[in-house]
Amino acid sequence: MKSQDIYAILYLLVIVALVIFVAYMVITGQYETLGILIIAAVVVIAIMMIAGYFIFGAYYAVKQRDKVHTDSGMSLEDVQEVDREMEKQ
Amino acid sequence: MKYTITGSNLQFVNAEIQPGETLLSNAGAMVTMSGNVEMKSKMEGGFLAGLKRSLSGSSFMLVNYTATGGAGLISLAGKAPGKILDVDVGKGAWLCQKTAFLCSENSVNMDMAFQKRLGSIFFGGEGLILQRLSGTGIAFIHACGDFNIVELAPGQVLKVSTANAVAWTEGVKYDIASLGLKNALFGGEGLFVTTLTGPGKVVIQSMTLQDLALSLYPFMPKESN
């Protein structure tokens, strides 16, 4: 089984688990708890994403500084524009 | 299969298929088809393959077109102003940005692929998931804007504004490089650019769908009080 298959199966399982959880909360009438959980999840995920973005951003900004690749010269001939109508004319 | 790509910035791919040949497309891509063409929506490759397709921005079901009684013509188009490009996957697999796949011969395999480097996932502009086209035959990819194709020699580097890389052959190394704080603040390209290192072909788009949306947004009608 490829990693893509595992990812797809995990994705499906998470979605199914979430649907079952929400359905259970709705059936048992726990709307308040469900609302609080959704808000808490959104806030926690947002904070984690923002923090992760800044931490990884700072790390890669230092680690992978841009440099000039002197062996990567190119000319106009190296670019092929994809425009068939213009080619025909 | 014979085909032409017509139009300039809102292109059609017109495919002529013979009886026994099958064309596969994303759901909703068909614009016209001749009367002898039969259209069937199928879960190509099974449920898991469909799920992977939908995770990679394509449709869960693919539409199969077959002709009966003679050649059939199908015209397909993308959903945004842009180009359509034919790629021969028999010469090597291609990796494409999410949603790039439009249609293909049925000998082409469309699968999900992952970006391998964490930095590229977060800051490369294409995210974690890509589309991988392999097998044999012709596949058609679509993206916003005009296209340039650059053939990179081994080790040759092309720096691309993030998210403007549409597709590249599998041998191309995809990474990011930081432009420094001053360029990030005043250069207009953000903190990172994508670096593509050869050997292989890369397809670059002049405008992303997000750029198009952002440039149109200020002119959208606003609700007045």
Side-chain angles (χ1 to χ4, degrees), chain A residues 8 11 21 23 26-27 32-33 37 39 48 77 80 85-86:
Chain A
Y11 178 85
F21 177 73
V26 169
I27 289 164
E32 239 175 62
T33 316
L37 279 174
I39 292 166
M48 280 172 66
E77 285 75 39
Q80 182 197 341
E85 287 305 301
M86 280 177 73

Side-chain angles (χ1 to χ4, degrees), chain A residues 2 5 64 66-67 84, chain B residues 52 86 111 159 176 178:
Chain A
K2 292 191 290 183
D5 298 335
Q64 294 194 203
D66 184 34
K67 57 183 178 183
R84 287 170 176 77
Chain B
K52 285 193 288 178
D86 50 338
D111 203 353
K159 297 172 190 176
I176 54 163
S178 108

Side-chain angles (χ1 to χ4, degrees), chain A residues 2 4-5 7-8 11-12 53 56-57 60-61 64-67 72-74 79-80 82-85, chain B residues 7 47 51-52 55 83 86 111-112 114 118-119 123 129 147-149 152 156-157 159 175-178:
Chain A
K2 292 191 290 183
Q4 287 91 330
D5 298 335
Y7 180 89
Y11 178 85
L12 189 67
Y53 213 73
F56 283 118
Y60 284 107
Q64 294 194 203
R65 289 297 302 264
D66 184 34
K67 57 183 178 183
S72 295
M74 284 182 198
V79 177
Q80 182 197 341
V82 181
D83 199 328
R84 287 170 176 77
E85 287 305 301
Chain B
F47 179 79
L51 185 64
K52 285 193 288 178
L55 285 172
K83 291 282 180 188
D86 50 338
D111 203 353
M112 184 170 83
F114 290 132
L118 203 61
F123 307 105
I129 296 169
F147 287 170
N148 268 349
I149 300 177
L152 297 173
Q156 197 173 23
V157 175
K159 297 172 190 176
D175 208 347
I176 54 163
S178 108

Side-chain angles (χ1 to χ4, degrees), chain B residues 4-222:
Chain B
T4 57
I5 295 172
T6 54
S8 52
N9 286 97
L10 295 150
Q11 292 190 311
F12 277 107
V13 54
N14 309 293
E16 183 192 295
I17 53 168
Q18 300 298 327
E21 288 182 328
T22 305
L23 182 77
L24 302 177
S25 89
N26 262 340
M30 192 275 290
V31 181
T32 64
M33 61 185 190
S34 55
N36 65 330
V37 172
E38 193 182 7
M39 179 178 164
K40 275 186 188 164
S41 298
K42 283 187 182 173
M43 204 190 295
E44 280 296 322
F47 179 79
L48 194 61
L51 185 64
K52 285 193 288 178
R53 266 198 305 274
S54 49
L55 285 172
S56 68
S58 186
S59 55
F60 185 71
M61 308 273 261
L62 287 181
V63 184
N64 290 22
Y65 302 91
T66 48
T68 47
L73 184 72
I74 307 129
S75 297
L76 303 116
K79 288 187 168 60
K83 291 282 180 188
I84 295 172
L85 178 71
D86 50 338
V87 292
D88 185 355
V89 299
K91 292 176 181 168
W94 282 75
L95 292 168
C96 312
Q97 62 179 212
K98 260 177 121 176
T99 74
F101 175 78
L102 179 68
C103 61
S104 72
E105 292 181 273
N106 67 342
S107 52
V108 174
N109 303 317
M110 205 282 276
D111 203 353
M112 184 170 83
F114 290 132
Q115 291 267 29
K116 291 189 174 64
R117 290 164 180 269
L118 203 61
S120 309
I121 295 166
F122 277 110
F123 307 105
E126 306 296 350
L128 168 68
I129 296 169
L130 302 168
Q131 295 181 336
R132 184 176 183 271
L133 303 172
S134 60
T136 55
I138 303 293
F140 299 89
I141 56 175
H142 172 269
C144 197
D146 276 318
F147 287 170
N148 268 349
I149 300 177
V150 183
E151 180 127 24
L152 297 173
Q156 197 173 23
V157 175
L158 185 69
K159 297 172 190 176
V160 184
S161 185
T162 50
N164 282 60
V166 176
W168 52 95
T169 49
E170 208 163 41
V172 172
K173 186 181 151 202
Y174 184 103
D175 208 347
I176 54 163
S178 108
L179 294 169
L181 198 61
K182 199 172 160 188
N183 279 328
L185 290 173
F186 304 107
E189 295 298 337
L191 186 54
F192 296 98
V193 285
T194 302
T195 58
L196 299 166
T197 309
K201 278 185 184 174
V202 298
V203 181
I204 309 298
Q205 65 189 142
S206 58
M207 181 177 250
T208 64
L209 192 54
Q210 192 184 21
D211 286 341
L212 179 65
L214 285 173
S215 58
L216 290 176
Y217 183 74
F219 306 104
M220 300 299 269
K222 302 274 189 312

